Amino acid sequence: MIFPPTHISFSVLLLACADLECVPGFQQKAFYIEEPFQFTEDQPVLKLKFDDCKGNNKLTFEVSNPDFKVEYDGTLVALKNMSEAGRTLFVHAQSEHAEDLAEILIVDEKEKHGALKEILKIENNLGFLRQKRAILSSPVLVPENQRGPFPKYIGKVVSRSVGEGVRFRLSGKGADEDPKGIFKINEITGDISVTQVLDREAAASYELEVEITDVNGKIIDGPVRLEVLVIDQNDNKPLFKDGPYVGHVMEGSPTGTTVMRITAVDGDDANTDNALIRYDILKQTPDKPSPNMFFIDPEKGDIVTVVSSALLDRETMETPQYELVIEAKDLGGHDVGLSGTATATIVIDDKNDHAPEFTKKEFLATVKEGITGVIVNLTIRDQDDPATGAWRAVYTIINGNAGQSFEIHTNPQNNEGMLSVVKPLDYEISAFHRLMIKVENEDPLVPDIVYGPSSTATVQITVEDVNEGPIFHPNPMRVTKLENIPIGSKVLTVNATDPDTLQHQTIRYSIYKDPAGWLEISPTNGTIITTAPLDRESTYVQNDTYTALFLAIDNGHPPATGTGTLYITLGDVNDNVPSLYPTLAKVCDDGKDLRIVVLGATDKDLPPNTDPFTFELSKQAGPEKMWRLATLNDTHAQIILLQNLQKANYNIPISVTDSGNPPLTNNTELKLQVCACRKSKMDCSATDALHISMTLIFLSLFSLLCKSFSVL
């Protein structure tokens, strides 16, 4: 539909021309057509009126779009059927006496209301006030993907400066700049041609400039902007780029619940139907319980449920997952549109709408007394999704576990309840147990579902009697005895009882471990006596305590054994003489310090049978005393030489006595070596041959005296 300017615009035009009888040129210089507009071959589009006020001799018209022409009477006619002609058409008219330019705007509905202002501006620019342009160029529209041959005529530039020596020159990207040579201009006629196939997705338009020069290349007019618009062709199919597409919907959701949105993109012109995408579901797998479980919004791509909530039941479906083949087609979904497909996966998520139920009301279990571990597995049914908390079971013992002897846990592999004994059961106390068990899910049930009687079960447990070993009372047993008590002394009488009170069994005793071999036990009454002296200082005694193990054996079939531990704490008696250290001392023959050695004493016994110790020298033989002993403290004394000695070995008799009751004395000797010392080096090798014992010296002197008396 063609819309001439409104009455207001005509009023403005008439006011501008009110005082002119005839103004050469187009009587109306601007038109607009509301799109979408279908141009039909050889059908008139509109009528233009041109008057040069002198008869229009040799009047010619040129249209900026080669798909149109203007008849001599001013009628604009389309040369072929088309729906796209660009945004603007320019019509140039020229006679012997005048020329002018009219402009036809193609606008959409939104632009319609602002068209008057645009037309007035255009008319002003077109020279309504007698302003003329030397170069007239309108946008050139070129379809992409045209077939050859090339070059191909696409438009024309008109100039008032046409004459001898006048040349057109085309510049810009696509002409004399990269990518060069796509467009060329006939420098004489102004005809514009394209030299190759265009791709709108690579370049949607080209901004060129046209200049008029003389033969020497001097610019006469311009430059004037020339826009080449590439008309989109439907050469790109819709593509799904964001896959994989996975959506989730809860089972039982109401009809119309949105699951997901899936969209495609089209590389064609977004302002044309070439990129107008419509969506459809081509296939649903599986097609049960309905072949049309879902619907897709053809414009938005939203996938929604279309079946009732009752049909959207995960537990009754063949599979809880659906595969939808989605088609996206351009040209608004028209049959001739290009299309692309994608697969959308829709998962029906489980909700906890089924309570777990035991497979039977009562379970039986048998367990031997004294044993721990799993005794029975409780099985259940649950129709919900095993991968969710709506299926995973939680078991609870709600009755019969007063002694906390039982625990129940869920087997994560099969959801069974594993009932275990955690405290050994005693047949003599109770031979039967009855437990009440309930099962629930990790996730809460939906509001309209409750746990019923089948969610509880009982477990009957039978305890089997076994021959249990006797038990010592107490265990361990403790007693304190002095060491070295007489052999055959009673230590204690042990007591063991048989827990199998209903079997009336007899018990016999024996030794299990007696490391030192000091003890003996009566097999019938359990009396323990000594068979050897008890020695507190023995290596078998640790921290004054001797440990022995005993067995109590019943006469069951087979016999059962109990073990008892006896700790004997040994009291100390003075049965160890003190020991002296060191037993060897070395001194220089010219020593100035005559304090030759410090002696110490130790005792294996315990106080008060140890220190203070008494140190004494045995009686020294000879005319002169050679050393003396000085006490330093309760445990140490010092030997002091009274004169320098010759190089030799000397044995010094010493006694040391402890403080026990009665005290014990150790008579021993200290070996003293007198060595040669030179330059801080001690040499004791010569003393080995000069061993002098004070006892031998005394005997020699006594023998000499006896011989003297016999001579007399």
Side-chain angles (χ1 to χ4, degrees), residues 461-492:
I461 302 167
T462 301
V463 182
E464 293 183 343
D465 188 26
V466 297
N467 187 23
E468 300 172 83
I471 299 174
F472 283 88
H473 304 281
N475 193 17
M477 301 161 282
R478 300 180 187 275
V479 67
T480 299
K481 297 292 179 179
L482 287 175
E483 64 176 333
N484 295 331
I485 59 176
I487 295 174
S489 298
K490 178 181 176 179
V491 178
L492 86 161

PDB file of all heavy atoms in Angstrom, residues 461-492:
ATOM      1  N   ILE A 461      14.282 -63.674  67.481  1.00  0.00           N
ATOM      2  CA  ILE A 461      15.685 -64.096  67.580  1.00  0.00           C
ATOM      3  C   ILE A 461      15.781 -65.208  68.613  1.00  0.00           C
ATOM      4  O   ILE A 461      15.364 -65.042  69.771  1.00  0.00           O
ATOM      5  CB  ILE A 461      16.589 -62.917  67.976  1.00  0.00           C
ATOM      6  CG1 ILE A 461      16.437 -61.780  66.946  1.00  0.00           C
ATOM      7  CG2 ILE A 461      18.043 -63.365  68.096  1.00  0.00           C
ATOM      8  CD1 ILE A 461      17.035 -60.485  67.395  1.00  0.00           C
ATOM      9  N   THR A 462      16.327 -66.340  68.205  1.00  0.00           N
ATOM     10  CA  THR A 462      16.551 -67.482  69.099  1.00  0.00           C
ATOM     11  C   THR A 462      18.031 -67.566  69.433  1.00  0.00           C
ATOM     12  O   THR A 462      18.879 -67.578  68.526  1.00  0.00           O
ATOM     13  CB  THR A 462      16.090 -68.786  68.441  1.00  0.00           C
ATOM     14  OG1 THR A 462      14.691 -68.678  68.127  1.00  0.00           O
ATOM     15  CG2 THR A 462      16.318 -69.967  69.358  1.00  0.00           C
ATOM     16  N   VAL A 463      18.348 -67.620  70.741  1.00  0.00           N
ATOM     17  CA  VAL A 463      19.736 -67.710  71.190  1.00  0.00           C
ATOM     18  C   VAL A 463      20.047 -69.172  71.486  1.00  0.00           C
ATOM     19  O   VAL A 463      19.342 -69.834  72.263  1.00  0.00           O
ATOM     20  CB  VAL A 463      19.963 -66.845  72.440  1.00  0.00           C
ATOM     21  CG1 VAL A 463      21.426 -66.910  72.865  1.00  0.00           C
ATOM     22  CG2 VAL A 463      19.546 -65.406  72.167  1.00  0.00           C
ATOM     23  N   GLU A 464      21.107 -69.679  70.864  1.00  0.00           N
ATOM     24  CA  GLU A 464      21.518 -71.070  71.069  1.00  0.00           C
ATOM     25  C   GLU A 464      22.566 -71.150  72.180  1.00  0.00           C
ATOM     26  O   GLU A 464      23.481 -70.325  72.254  1.00  0.00           O
ATOM     27  CB  GLU A 464      22.094 -71.653  69.780  1.00  0.00           C
ATOM     28  CG  GLU A 464      21.075 -71.820  68.672  1.00  0.00           C
ATOM     29  CD  GLU A 464      21.695 -72.468  67.441  1.00  0.00           C
ATOM     30  OE1 GLU A 464      22.941 -72.477  67.339  1.00  0.00           O
ATOM     31  OE2 GLU A 464      20.936 -72.949  66.586  1.00  0.00           O
ATOM     32  N   ASP A 465      22.416 -72.170  73.030  1.00  0.00           N
ATOM     33  CA  ASP A 465      23.361 -72.369  74.130  1.00  0.00           C
ATOM     34  C   ASP A 465      24.653 -72.964  73.593  1.00  0.00           C
ATOM     35  O   ASP A 465      24.650 -73.841  72.729  1.00  0.00           O
ATOM     36  CB  ASP A 465      22.743 -73.293  75.182  1.00  0.00           C
ATOM     37  CG  ASP A 465      23.602 -73.368  76.431  1.00  0.00           C
ATOM     38  OD1 ASP A 465      24.348 -72.401  76.685  1.00  0.00           O
ATOM     39  OD2 ASP A 465      23.525 -74.384  77.143  1.00  0.00           O
ATOM     40  N   VAL A 466      25.767 -72.466  74.086  1.00  0.00           N
ATOM     41  CA  VAL A 466      27.078 -73.024  73.766  1.00  0.00           C
ATOM     42  C   VAL A 466      27.814 -73.273  75.070  1.00  0.00           C
ATOM     43  O   VAL A 466      27.502 -72.676  76.109  1.00  0.00           O
ATOM     44  CB  VAL A 466      27.897 -72.086  72.851  1.00  0.00           C
ATOM     45  CG1 VAL A 466      27.224 -71.907  71.521  1.00  0.00           C
ATOM     46  CG2 VAL A 466      28.136 -70.744  73.532  1.00  0.00           C
ATOM     47  N   ASN A 467      28.776 -74.212  75.074  1.00  0.00           N
ATOM     48  CA  ASN A 467      29.555 -74.515  76.274  1.00  0.00           C
ATOM     49  C   ASN A 467      30.557 -73.401  76.495  1.00  0.00           C
ATOM     50  O   ASN A 467      31.585 -73.315  75.821  1.00  0.00           O
ATOM     51  CB  ASN A 467      30.273 -75.863  76.120  1.00  0.00           C
ATOM     52  CG  ASN A 467      30.944 -76.284  77.413  1.00  0.00           C
ATOM     53  OD1 ASN A 467      30.554 -75.845  78.484  1.00  0.00           O
ATOM     54  ND2 ASN A 467      31.948 -77.153  77.303  1.00  0.00           N
ATOM     55  N   GLU A 468      30.280 -72.563  77.465  1.00  0.00           N
ATOM     56  CA  GLU A 468      31.137 -71.416  77.738  1.00  0.00           C
ATOM     57  C   GLU A 468      32.207 -71.793  78.740  1.00  0.00           C
ATOM     58  O   GLU A 468      31.997 -72.622  79.636  1.00  0.00           O
ATOM     59  CB  GLU A 468      30.302 -70.260  78.289  1.00  0.00           C
ATOM     60  CG  GLU A 468      29.207 -69.801  77.335  1.00  0.00           C
ATOM     61  CD  GLU A 468      28.284 -68.795  77.993  1.00  0.00           C
ATOM     62  OE1 GLU A 468      28.650 -67.607  78.018  1.00  0.00           O
ATOM     63  OE2 GLU A 468      27.224 -69.213  78.483  1.00  0.00           O
ATOM     64  N   GLY A 469      33.356 -71.181  78.600  1.00  0.00           N
ATOM     65  CA  GLY A 469      34.464 -71.458  79.504  1.00  0.00           C
ATOM     66  C   GLY A 469      34.210 -70.912  80.892  1.00  0.00           C
ATOM     67  O   GLY A 469      33.518 -69.898  81.075  1.00  0.00           O
ATOM     68  N   PRO A 470      34.772 -71.592  81.926  1.00  0.00           N
ATOM     69  CA  PRO A 470      34.645 -71.082  83.302  1.00  0.00           C
ATOM     70  C   PRO A 470      35.236 -69.683  83.427  1.00  0.00           C
ATOM     71  O   PRO A 470      36.132 -69.289  82.668  1.00  0.00           O
ATOM     72  CB  PRO A 470      35.436 -72.100  84.123  1.00  0.00           C
ATOM     73  CG  PRO A 470      35.451 -73.342  83.285  1.00  0.00           C
ATOM     74  CD  PRO A 470      35.503 -72.871  81.873  1.00  0.00           C
ATOM     75  N   ILE A 471      34.772 -68.970  84.441  1.00  0.00           N
ATOM     76  CA  ILE A 471      35.193 -67.584  84.651  1.00  0.00           C
ATOM     77  C   ILE A 471      35.824 -67.486  86.029  1.00  0.00           C
ATOM     78  O   ILE A 471      35.237 -67.914  87.037  1.00  0.00           O
ATOM     79  CB  ILE A 471      33.991 -66.635  84.538  1.00  0.00           C
ATOM     80  CG1 ILE A 471      33.373 -66.742  83.139  1.00  0.00           C
ATOM     81  CG2 ILE A 471      34.420 -65.206  84.822  1.00  0.00           C
ATOM     82  CD1 ILE A 471      32.092 -65.943  82.987  1.00  0.00           C
ATOM     83  N   PHE A 472      37.037 -66.944  86.099  1.00  0.00           N
ATOM     84  CA  PHE A 472      37.729 -66.731  87.373  1.00  0.00           C
ATOM     85  C   PHE A 472      37.135 -65.510  88.068  1.00  0.00           C
ATOM     86  O   PHE A 472      36.808 -64.501  87.433  1.00  0.00           O
ATOM     87  CB  PHE A 472      39.230 -66.528  87.134  1.00  0.00           C
ATOM     88  CG  PHE A 472      39.985 -67.792  86.842  1.00  0.00           C
ATOM     89  CD1 PHE A 472      40.111 -68.270  85.545  1.00  0.00           C
ATOM     90  CD2 PHE A 472      40.580 -68.517  87.878  1.00  0.00           C
ATOM     91  CE1 PHE A 472      40.812 -69.435  85.282  1.00  0.00           C
ATOM     92  CE2 PHE A 472      41.283 -69.683  87.608  1.00  0.00           C
ATOM     93  CZ  PHE A 472      41.402 -70.153  86.310  1.00  0.00           C
ATOM     94  N   HIS A 473      37.062 -65.598  89.392  1.00  0.00           N
ATOM     95  CA  HIS A 473      36.580 -64.484  90.212  1.00  0.00           C
ATOM     96  C   HIS A 473      37.557 -64.280  91.357  1.00  0.00           C
ATOM     97  O   HIS A 473      37.758 -65.195  92.171  1.00  0.00           O
ATOM     98  CB  HIS A 473      35.189 -64.784  90.777  1.00  0.00           C
ATOM     99  CG  HIS A 473      34.163 -65.122  89.739  1.00  0.00           C
ATOM    100  ND1 HIS A 473      33.548 -64.170  88.981  1.00  0.00           N
ATOM    101  CD2 HIS A 473      33.651 -66.322  89.353  1.00  0.00           C
ATOM    102  CE1 HIS A 473      32.683 -64.769  88.165  1.00  0.00           C
ATOM    103  NE2 HIS A 473      32.733 -66.082  88.365  1.00  0.00           N
ATOM    104  N   PRO A 474      38.196 -63.101  91.447  1.00  0.00           N
ATOM    105  CA  PRO A 474      38.220 -62.057  90.422  1.00  0.00           C
ATOM    106  C   PRO A 474      39.237 -62.419  89.352  1.00  0.00           C
ATOM    107  O   PRO A 474      39.957 -63.394  89.482  1.00  0.00           O
ATOM    108  CB  PRO A 474      38.662 -60.839  91.219  1.00  0.00           C
ATOM    109  CG  PRO A 474      39.581 -61.413  92.260  1.00  0.00           C
ATOM    110  CD  PRO A 474      38.979 -62.752  92.644  1.00  0.00           C
ATOM    111  N   ASN A 475      39.280 -61.619  88.357  1.00  0.00           N
ATOM    112  CA  ASN A 475      40.260 -61.808  87.300  1.00  0.00           C
ATOM    113  C   ASN A 475      40.627 -60.418  86.756  1.00  0.00           C
ATOM    114  O   ASN A 475      39.760 -59.730  86.215  1.00  0.00           O
ATOM    115  CB  ASN A 475      39.698 -62.679  86.187  1.00  0.00           C
ATOM    116  CG  ASN A 475      40.774 -63.167  85.218  1.00  0.00           C
ATOM    117  OD1 ASN A 475      41.954 -63.116  85.542  1.00  0.00           O
ATOM    118  ND2 ASN A 475      40.359 -63.633  84.064  1.00  0.00           N
ATOM    119  N   PRO A 476      41.901 -60.007  86.972  1.00  0.00           N
ATOM    120  CA  PRO A 476      43.028 -60.758  87.526  1.00  0.00           C
ATOM    121  C   PRO A 476      42.962 -60.872  89.057  1.00  0.00           C
ATOM    122  O   PRO A 476      42.254 -60.123  89.718  1.00  0.00           O
ATOM    123  CB  PRO A 476      44.235 -59.941  87.079  1.00  0.00           C
ATOM    124  CG  PRO A 476      43.722 -58.544  87.002  1.00  0.00           C
ATOM    125  CD  PRO A 476      42.300 -58.659  86.524  1.00  0.00           C
ATOM    126  N   MET A 477      43.758 -61.843  89.568  1.00  0.00           N
ATOM    127  CA  MET A 477      43.884 -62.066  91.016  1.00  0.00           C
ATOM    128  C   MET A 477      45.201 -61.461  91.481  1.00  0.00           C
ATOM    129  O   MET A 477      46.208 -61.549  90.793  1.00  0.00           O
ATOM    130  CB  MET A 477      43.847 -63.571  91.302  1.00  0.00           C
ATOM    131  CG  MET A 477      42.567 -64.252  90.811  1.00  0.00           C
ATOM    132  SD  MET A 477      42.718 -66.044  90.632  1.00  0.00           S
ATOM    133  CE  MET A 477      43.602 -66.163  89.072  1.00  0.00           C
ATOM    134  N   ARG A 478      45.192 -60.867  92.694  1.00  0.00           N
ATOM    135  CA  ARG A 478      46.389 -60.196  93.207  1.00  0.00           C
ATOM    136  C   ARG A 478      46.663 -60.679  94.638  1.00  0.00           C
ATOM    137  O   ARG A 478      45.722 -60.813  95.448  1.00  0.00           O
ATOM    138  CB  ARG A 478      46.212 -58.674  93.194  1.00  0.00           C
ATOM    139  CG  ARG A 478      45.953 -58.124  91.794  1.00  0.00           C
ATOM    140  CD  ARG A 478      45.789 -56.609  91.819  1.00  0.00           C
ATOM    141  NE  ARG A 478      45.381 -56.096  90.521  1.00  0.00           N
ATOM    142  CZ  ARG A 478      46.221 -55.801  89.535  1.00  0.00           C
ATOM    143  NH1 ARG A 478      47.525 -55.978  89.704  1.00  0.00           N
ATOM    144  NH2 ARG A 478      45.756 -55.341  88.381  1.00  0.00           N
ATOM    145  N   VAL A 479      47.957 -60.905  94.945  1.00  0.00           N
ATOM    146  CA  VAL A 479      48.378 -61.330  96.273  1.00  0.00           C
ATOM    147  C   VAL A 479      49.782 -60.790  96.528  1.00  0.00           C
ATOM    148  O   VAL A 479      50.559 -60.580  95.572  1.00  0.00           O
ATOM    149  CB  VAL A 479      48.347 -62.872  96.400  1.00  0.00           C
ATOM    150  CG1 VAL A 479      49.403 -63.509  95.506  1.00  0.00           C
ATOM    151  CG2 VAL A 479      48.512 -63.316  97.845  1.00  0.00           C
ATOM    152  N   THR A 480      50.111 -60.544  97.811  1.00  0.00           N
ATOM    153  CA  THR A 480      51.435 -60.045  98.186  1.00  0.00           C
ATOM    154  C   THR A 480      52.110 -61.073  99.093  1.00  0.00           C
ATOM    155  O   THR A 480      51.517 -61.523 100.092  1.00  0.00           O
ATOM    156  CB  THR A 480      51.323 -58.695  98.909  1.00  0.00           C
ATOM    157  OG1 THR A 480      50.715 -57.754  98.028  1.00  0.00           O
ATOM    158  CG2 THR A 480      52.693 -58.187  99.325  1.00  0.00           C
ATOM    159  N   LYS A 481      53.356 -61.431  98.784  1.00  0.00           N
ATOM    160  CA  LYS A 481      54.133 -62.397  99.558  1.00  0.00           C
ATOM    161  C   LYS A 481      55.573 -61.915  99.661  1.00  0.00           C
ATOM    162  O   LYS A 481      56.081 -61.236  98.763  1.00  0.00           O
ATOM    163  CB  LYS A 481      54.120 -63.781  98.894  1.00  0.00           C
ATOM    164  CG  LYS A 481      52.748 -64.427  98.799  1.00  0.00           C
ATOM    165  CD  LYS A 481      52.218 -64.814 100.185  1.00  0.00           C
ATOM    166  CE  LYS A 481      50.840 -65.445 100.087  1.00  0.00           C
ATOM    167  NZ  LYS A 481      50.316 -65.840 101.429  1.00  0.00           N
ATOM    168  N   LEU A 482      56.241 -62.329 100.817  1.00  0.00           N
ATOM    169  CA  LEU A 482      57.669 -62.057 100.937  1.00  0.00           C
ATOM    170  C   LEU A 482      58.443 -63.034 100.069  1.00  0.00           C
ATOM    171  O   LEU A 482      58.066 -64.206  99.931  1.00  0.00           O
ATOM    172  CB  LEU A 482      58.122 -62.186 102.390  1.00  0.00           C
ATOM    173  CG  LEU A 482      57.705 -61.061 103.353  1.00  0.00           C
ATOM    174  CD1 LEU A 482      58.142 -61.413 104.766  1.00  0.00           C
ATOM    175  CD2 LEU A 482      58.312 -59.737 102.923  1.00  0.00           C
ATOM    176  N   GLU A 483      59.548 -62.516  99.506  1.00  0.00           N
ATOM    177  CA  GLU A 483      60.398 -63.447  98.774  1.00  0.00           C
ATOM    178  C   GLU A 483      61.049 -64.424  99.759  1.00  0.00           C
ATOM    179  O   GLU A 483      61.131 -64.152 100.957  1.00  0.00           O
ATOM    180  CB  GLU A 483      61.460 -62.670  97.983  1.00  0.00           C
ATOM    181  CG  GLU A 483      62.441 -61.892  98.843  1.00  0.00           C
ATOM    182  CD  GLU A 483      63.537 -61.214  98.031  1.00  0.00           C
ATOM    183  OE1 GLU A 483      63.848 -61.728  96.937  1.00  0.00           O
ATOM    184  OE2 GLU A 483      64.087 -60.193  98.498  1.00  0.00           O
ATOM    185  N   ASN A 484      61.479 -65.551  99.192  1.00  0.00           N
ATOM    186  CA  ASN A 484      62.184 -66.580  99.970  1.00  0.00           C
ATOM    187  C   ASN A 484      61.321 -67.237 101.041  1.00  0.00           C
ATOM    188  O   ASN A 484      61.837 -67.765 102.032  1.00  0.00           O
ATOM    189  CB  ASN A 484      63.456 -66.013 100.623  1.00  0.00           C
ATOM    190  CG  ASN A 484      64.481 -65.589  99.588  1.00  0.00           C
ATOM    191  OD1 ASN A 484      64.535 -66.142  98.486  1.00  0.00           O
ATOM    192  ND2 ASN A 484      65.298 -64.598  99.931  1.00  0.00           N
ATOM    193  N   ILE A 485      59.958 -67.175 100.868  1.00  0.00           N
ATOM    194  CA  ILE A 485      59.128 -67.919 101.816  1.00  0.00           C
ATOM    195  C   ILE A 485      59.402 -69.408 101.615  1.00  0.00           C
ATOM    196  O   ILE A 485      59.855 -69.831 100.547  1.00  0.00           O
ATOM    197  CB  ILE A 485      57.632 -67.594 101.630  1.00  0.00           C
ATOM    198  CG1 ILE A 485      57.177 -67.948 100.198  1.00  0.00           C
ATOM    199  CG2 ILE A 485      57.351 -66.142 101.936  1.00  0.00           C
ATOM    200  CD1 ILE A 485      55.687 -67.751  99.977  1.00  0.00           C
ATOM    201  N   PRO A 486      59.108 -70.230 102.623  1.00  0.00           N
ATOM    202  CA  PRO A 486      59.456 -71.660 102.521  1.00  0.00           C
ATOM    203  C   PRO A 486      58.750 -72.333 101.358  1.00  0.00           C
ATOM    204  O   PRO A 486      57.630 -71.980 100.989  1.00  0.00           O
ATOM    205  CB  PRO A 486      58.972 -72.230 103.859  1.00  0.00           C
ATOM    206  CG  PRO A 486      58.961 -71.059 104.793  1.00  0.00           C
ATOM    207  CD  PRO A 486      58.597 -69.875 103.976  1.00  0.00           C
ATOM    208  N   ILE A 487      59.436 -73.276 100.781  1.00  0.00           N
ATOM    209  CA  ILE A 487      58.840 -74.067  99.701  1.00  0.00           C
ATOM    210  C   ILE A 487      57.625 -74.807 100.247  1.00  0.00           C
ATOM    211  O   ILE A 487      57.667 -75.363 101.348  1.00  0.00           O
ATOM    212  CB  ILE A 487      59.871 -75.039  99.126  1.00  0.00           C
ATOM    213  CG1 ILE A 487      61.029 -74.279  98.457  1.00  0.00           C
ATOM    214  CG2 ILE A 487      59.232 -75.991  98.116  1.00  0.00           C
ATOM    215  CD1 ILE A 487      62.160 -75.174  97.986  1.00  0.00           C
ATOM    216  N   GLY A 488      56.540 -74.801  99.471  1.00  0.00           N
ATOM    217  CA  GLY A 488      55.303 -75.421  99.896  1.00  0.00           C
ATOM    218  C   GLY A 488      54.344 -74.453 100.550  1.00  0.00           C
ATOM    219  O   GLY A 488      53.242 -74.850 100.961  1.00  0.00           O
ATOM    220  N   SER A 489      54.754 -73.180 100.664  1.00  0.00           N
ATOM    221  CA  SER A 489      53.868 -72.171 101.250  1.00  0.00           C
ATOM    222  C   SER A 489      52.673 -71.937 100.335  1.00  0.00           C
ATOM    223  O   SER A 489      52.785 -71.941  99.107  1.00  0.00           O
ATOM    224  CB  SER A 489      54.624 -70.862 101.476  1.00  0.00           C
ATOM    225  OG  SER A 489      55.689 -71.050 102.378  1.00  0.00           O
ATOM    226  N   LYS A 490      51.503 -71.728 100.934  1.00  0.00           N
ATOM    227  CA  LYS A 490      50.286 -71.441 100.167  1.00  0.00           C
ATOM    228  C   LYS A 490      50.303 -69.990  99.688  1.00  0.00           C
ATOM    229  O   LYS A 490      50.552 -69.064 100.466  1.00  0.00           O
ATOM    230  CB  LYS A 490      49.060 -71.704 101.034  1.00  0.00           C
ATOM    231  CG  LYS A 490      47.754 -71.385 100.335  1.00  0.00           C
ATOM    232  CD  LYS A 490      46.561 -71.635 101.260  1.00  0.00           C
ATOM    233  CE  LYS A 490      45.248 -71.232 100.603  1.00  0.00           C
ATOM    234  NZ  LYS A 490      44.066 -71.477 101.475  1.00  0.00           N
ATOM    235  N   VAL A 491      50.004 -69.836  98.415  1.00  0.00           N
ATOM    236  CA  VAL A 491      49.916 -68.479  97.841  1.00  0.00           C
ATOM    237  C   VAL A 491      48.466 -67.994  97.914  1.00  0.00           C
ATOM    238  O   VAL A 491      48.170 -66.933  98.464  1.00  0.00           O
ATOM    239  CB  VAL A 491      50.441 -68.460  96.397  1.00  0.00           C
ATOM    240  CG1 VAL A 491      50.307 -67.066  95.799  1.00  0.00           C
ATOM    241  CG2 VAL A 491      51.883 -68.929  96.344  1.00  0.00           C
ATOM    242  N   LEU A 492      47.518 -68.741  97.344  1.00  0.00           N
ATOM    243  CA  LEU A 492      46.085 -68.480  97.462  1.00  0.00           C
ATOM    244  C   LEU A 492      45.338 -69.625  96.821  1.00  0.00           C
ATOM    245  O   LEU A 492      45.940 -70.492  96.162  1.00  0.00           O
ATOM    246  CB  LEU A 492      45.681 -67.162  96.817  1.00  0.00           C
ATOM    247  CG  LEU A 492      45.354 -67.146  95.311  1.00  0.00           C
ATOM    248  CD1 LEU A 492      44.556 -65.911  94.955  1.00  0.00           C
ATOM    249  CD2 LEU A 492      46.616 -67.230  94.498  1.00  0.00           C
TER     250      LEU A 492
END
